[in-house]
Amino acid sequence: MKPSIGKTNRVNTIIIYYMKKLITLIAVFLLFTMNAQDFKYGITGNFHKGSIVGVHDVSKGSYGGGLGFLAQIPLVENDIFDSAWLYLQGQLEYSMQGEIAEAETDLYGKQKYFHDYVAFQVYLKYFFHKGNMKRDVYVFAGPRIEYLVRQEKKVSPQYDLDYFKYNQDDVINKFGYGASFGIGMAVSHQMEVFMRYDWGFSKVYPNNKSHFTYNRLLGIGINYYLNENWW
């Protein structure tokens, strides 16, 4: 038996409430530790391919980018300089997402959806290590929240009419949440490269009752720390 729409909305409201509380507490914690000796801050950028699952028929995904700021503090302290292997990292970014679909292109052409978000992630960042000898490779994971700041749709009006009963995409959620995780490598004290996957837990199109329409993306990127020196 499927849960009622009202019950699902209440569960989503509770999840969003506690995710906001968690991220707010972590953000405050980061602010109070900005004077810590090993506090690091910088810029982050990525290039990704994303899509919206469960809608728009023949989805090909779309390429986009993200740019933002990050701050990082160690959660374990060692006597050896830069030997901490577990970090907490907060990240605020502008992310260009959406998708491109190709349903009956001979009749309708390509269908293009542009969704730009301001997003915030909080990561636990774990470096592989042996004792105090920290390796260059790390993994990271944490919650993500996003808010839609730009929406543009370039589709044939006839496509909207013919496919609306399948897509039901007349309303879009401004707010979304999910998880972000990946793997990276420190190139120097100042720069890291990484691969990341974001997986949405909230519906993009709430009026679509037949599918769970969530955001996803896979990308590669760079973290560049502004208060560090090259090796």
Side-chain angles (χ1 to χ4, degrees), residues 99-116:
E99 73 173 347
I100 294 175
E102 297 181 359
E104 300 187 70
T105 53
D106 54 331
L107 292 177
Y108 309 113
K110 290 184 179 181
Q111 299 88 51
K112 299 179 181 180
Y113 304 85
F114 303 97
H115 297 167
D116 291 0

Side-chain angles (χ1 to χ4, degrees), residues 7-24:
K7 183 177 180 181
T8 300
N9 289 338
R10 286 195 297 273
V11 171
N12 285 340
T13 300
I14 292 170
I15 292 172
I16 291 170
Y17 174 79
Y18 282 106
M19 285 192 70
K20 284 182 175 179
K21 288 290 186 184
L22 174 63
I23 290 175
T24 300

Side-chain angles (χ1 to χ4, degrees), residues 36-39 73-80 83-86 132:
Q37 183 179 359
D38 293 326
F39 173 79
I73 58 168
L75 296 180
V76 293
E77 294 286 353
N78 291 323
D79 294 333
I80 302 173
S83 61
W85 46 266
L86 185 64
N132 285 333

Side-chain angles (χ1 to χ4, degrees), residues 12 53-54 199-204 208-214:
N12 285 340
V53 179
W199 182 13
F201 295 161
S202 58
K203 267 194 169 187
V204 176
N208 189 313
K209 302 301 188 292
S210 58
H211 294 89
F212 186 74
T213 58
Y214 62 92

Side-chain angles (χ1 to χ4, degrees), residues 23-44:
I23 290 175
T24 300
L25 288 173
I26 293 173
V28 171
F29 177 64
L30 284 171
L31 286 174
F32 274 103
T33 55
M34 286 182 69
N35 292 323
Q37 183 179 359
D38 293 326
F39 173 79
K40 298 168 73 173
Y41 62 88
I43 57 177
T44 181

Side-chain angles (χ1 to χ4, degrees), residues 13-15 30 33 55 79 81 92 101 123 134-135 154 161 168 177 185 190 198 200 202 207 210 213 217:
T13 300
I14 292 170
I15 292 172
L30 284 171
T33 55
V55 70
D79 294 333
F81 173 73
L92 180 69
Y123 294 124
K134 183 172 70 174
R135 310 300 185 191
K154 295 183 178 180
L161 289 173
Q168 298 174 321
Y177 58 91
M185 183 176 70
Q190 201 169 29
D198 293 354
S202 58
N207 286 349
S210 58
T213 58
L217 67 83

Side-chain angles (χ1 to χ4, degrees), residues 56-67:
H56 302 145
D57 196 54
V58 187
S59 173
K60 300 297 183 181
S62 66
Y63 291 99
L67 185 65

